[in-house]
Amino acid sequence: MNQLLSSATDNLKGTVNVPGDKSISHRALIMGSLAIGETLVAGLLEGEDVLNTAAAMRALGADIRKDEDGTWHIHGVGVGALHEPEGALDMGNSGTGARLLMGLISTYPFSTTFIGDASLSSRPMKRVTDPLESFGAEFHGSENGTLPLTVRGTGMPVPISYDVPVASAQVKSAIMLAALNTPGTTTIFEKKPTRDHTERMFSFFGVDTTTTPKDSGRVITVTGQPELTARNLTVPGDPSSAAFPVVAALITPGSDITIRNVGLNPDRTGLFITLKEMGADIEFVNEREDCGEPVADLRVRHSRLKAITVPQDRAPSMIDEYPILCIAAAFADGTTMMRGAEELRVKESDRIAIMVKGLRACGIDVEEFDDGMAITGSREKPAGGAVIETHLDHRIAMSFLTLGLQSEQPVTVDDGSVIETSFPIFRELMNGLGANIHPAGENK
């Protein structure tokens, strides 16, 4: 176990760049691999999850390499030209990578086996595989649809119309990727809008796709078998990664930090909106657009937060940020209510149960619900002093390390190595701002 320990700090100061957006990085690799010509990608997140997707796309036929200056070169093979990999595709801890690639290859006439680590192998896949079977693909594995799972793609896919039963950008995106190699038009109905990174990336590469508002949701269409042309792009900084230094600065007196080049996709800003409603001093500076995505620099200063009830319909736009929101809520006056987030039960871990257990161990008052929790915060520092079981979940680990920056006693996470999957420079970046995060046992 690689235990990490976080101790109290005086304040955070400085200007930093967080790693590239993980969702956009996955999609940039996939779409570049399907485009004719050379796609150049700057700012790609180089965490384990994305690197596993790069390795998988190489195994499927793309030529992908990285320059000394950090630019990634992708020579694509064209839609319809992927080939059967020689071995299983190991997706490590990445549910996003696994589900997107299951969609992509479900409409190719070959078989592929997906494997992953213990965490990924415990996560359900049926909500993705069920609609993909409608294209004609077959899936073979355990009864509950967990990895290892073999996909037998179809050589004669048929377009589908699918009503997504639960708000999930991964399910939607898997269907859209399956539609790329399917003749005709595939239609997807979303009851609740989810992140639109796939739609934006499809449009950026020239896929004929439309998005139409309908009632409270959206209708998305994809016309299959396009000829994609290589494009150059810069991946915006990941707002999910920016969330950790943002909340750390908000709860640490005297803090004033700037985070450059953060993606502000409207489907990803739920946390920042929620924090501002709680009284957070967050300023968007130098707003602009890159590769179809809105971007800005964030200036964040320590703030006295107040509790709110988070609107349930905001959950899809901040589903990955609930763990770090829990930390902000622990420092807000009053009881912060978070409901409508049942998807947290099936993320990298059961994030509701694990956050509740960890918060209570650190002396924080929390009530658990099937679809969320209520956290009663205080102006007083929480006790801390606990060793948190992360269950191989990187966001759990980073959230409790953030809590330790303002706890009476240090907070330890049982395995900090899982952070490598999404934010490999987390400790370096945070300590550069003034945090005190280090391996347990080191004297600091």
Side-chain angles (χ1 to χ4, degrees):
M1 287 290 188
N2 178 22
Q3 288 191 343
L4 287 180
L5 180 147
S6 178
S7 303
T9 187
D10 292 333
N11 57 57
L12 303 178
K13 302 279 188 182
T15 299
V16 293
N17 287 78
V18 294
D21 185 283
K22 184 162 69 165
S23 297
I24 297 173
S25 293
H26 282 299
R27 289 158 175 81
L29 287 167
I30 293 170
M31 296 303 289
S33 298
L34 298 175
I36 300 298
E38 182 183 46
T39 291
L40 301 181
V41 182
L44 190 84
L45 172 66
E46 296 183 15
E48 291 177 4
D49 285 4
V50 174
L51 295 180
N52 284 333
T53 293
M57 295 313 300
R58 288 191 194 100
L60 292 166
D63 179 8
I64 303 174
R65 62 181 177 83
K66 176 187 166 185
D67 265 354
E68 291 182 0
D69 67 359
T71 300
W72 286 74
H73 297 249
I74 308 171
H75 291 269
V77 298
V79 173
L82 298 176
H83 63 62
E84 184 170 354
E86 294 182 358
L89 300 182
D90 187 349
M91 304 311 298
N93 185 250
S94 179
T96 299
R99 293 177 179 122
L100 295 188
L101 293 187
M102 282 182 190
L104 176 67
I105 66 172
S106 66
T107 50
Y108 285 79
F110 54 73
S111 295
T112 306
T113 298
F114 286 83
I115 61 175
D117 68 9
S119 173
L120 180 58
S121 298
S122 69
R123 283 179 248 166
M125 296 291 168
K126 284 190 68 64
R127 60 179 178 167
V128 172
T129 61
D130 284 350
L132 296 178
E133 287 177 341
S134 300
F135 285 95
E138 298 178 5
F139 295 85
H140 303 279
S142 64
E143 290 184 4
N144 59 1
T146 55
L147 301 189
L149 194 64
T150 297
V151 182
R152 181 174 296 167
T154 175
M156 299 182 66
V158 293
I160 69 171
S161 293
Y162 189 74
D163 193 342
V164 181
V166 61
S168 171
Q170 291 180 5
V171 174
K172 172 184 67 177
S173 297
I175 297 169
M176 293 179 68
L177 287 163
L180 283 179
N181 198 37
T182 301
T185 299
T186 291
T187 304
I188 304 162
F189 302 90
E190 279 192 307
K191 293 184 180 70
K192 295 182 179 180
T194 61
R195 299 175 178 182
D196 67 350
H197 294 307
T198 303
E199 294 94 313
R200 289 173 183 263
M201 191 66 75
F202 272 33
S203 296
F204 185 70
F205 275 91
V207 179
D208 183 2
T209 181
T210 66
T211 301
T212 306
K214 182 180 180 181
D215 300 328
S216 61
R218 296 171 179 158
V219 179
I220 301 111
T221 66
V222 178
T223 301
Q225 299 183 326
E227 183 171 315
L228 306 183
T229 303
R231 299 291 304 272
N232 298 336
L233 64 140
T234 298
V235 178
D238 194 332
S240 295
S241 295
F244 299 101
V246 164
V247 170
L250 291 174
I251 67 173
T252 304
S255 295
D256 186 347
I257 70 171
T258 298
I259 309 170
R260 291 185 294 240
N261 193 46
V262 179
L264 293 180
N265 184 296
D267 293 325
R268 297 287 301 281
T269 56
L271 175 70
F272 300 142
I273 293 170
T274 300
L275 290 173
K276 287 173 76 71
E277 290 175 355
M278 295 171 74
D281 185 352
I282 302 174
E283 183 181 359
F284 300 146
V285 182
N286 190 22
E287 296 186 56
R288 55 202 185 276
E289 187 171 290
D290 200 340
C291 71
E293 298 275 352
V295 176
D297 304 331
L298 306 188
R299 185 177 183 189
V300 187
R301 285 165 278 205
H302 170 253
S303 306
R304 175 55 62 188
L305 303 177
K306 63 180 185 298
I308 66 167
T309 296
V310 182
Q312 293 191 30
D313 61 4
R314 194 175 290 165
S317 72
M318 56 182 292
I319 197 66
D320 282 334
E321 285 74 64
Y322 275 97
I324 191 60
L325 176 61
C326 291
I327 306 307
F331 292 84
D333 294 327
T335 300
T336 297
M337 187 72 66
M338 294 174 271
R339 304 293 297 268
E342 57 273 6
E343 188 180 348
L344 291 173
R345 296 283 189 187
V346 294
K347 298 295 284 184
E348 281 82 341
S349 64
D350 181 342
R351 286 179 173 164
I352 293 175
I354 295 170
M355 287 302 301
V356 167
K357 181 179 179 181
L359 290 167
R360 286 174 176 163
C362 290
I364 296 164
D365 184 3
V366 55
E367 181 179 0
E368 180 177 357
F369 308 108
D370 288 344
D371 63 345
M373 63 195 88
I375 297 171
T376 300
S378 168
R379 292 178 182 266
E380 302 296 325
K381 288 184 177 182
V387 177
I388 305 299
E389 296 179 12
T390 61
H391 294 264
L392 300 176
D393 191 318
H394 50 120
R395 299 195 194 282
I396 298 290
M398 290 185 282
S399 295
F400 279 102
L401 290 172
T402 302
L403 176 66
L405 300 179
Q406 285 299 303
S407 296
E408 290 290 348
Q409 298 295 323
V411 174
T412 303
V413 299
D414 64 355
D415 189 356
S417 65
V418 296
I419 296 171
E420 294 291 324
T421 65
S422 67
F423 200 161
I425 63 168
F426 171 75
R427 187 160 67 95
E428 174 189 348
L429 181 145
M430 295 294 286
N431 287 347
L433 291 171
N436 187 9
I437 300 172
H438 53 85
E442 284 189 7
N443 293 320
K444 294 287 180 180

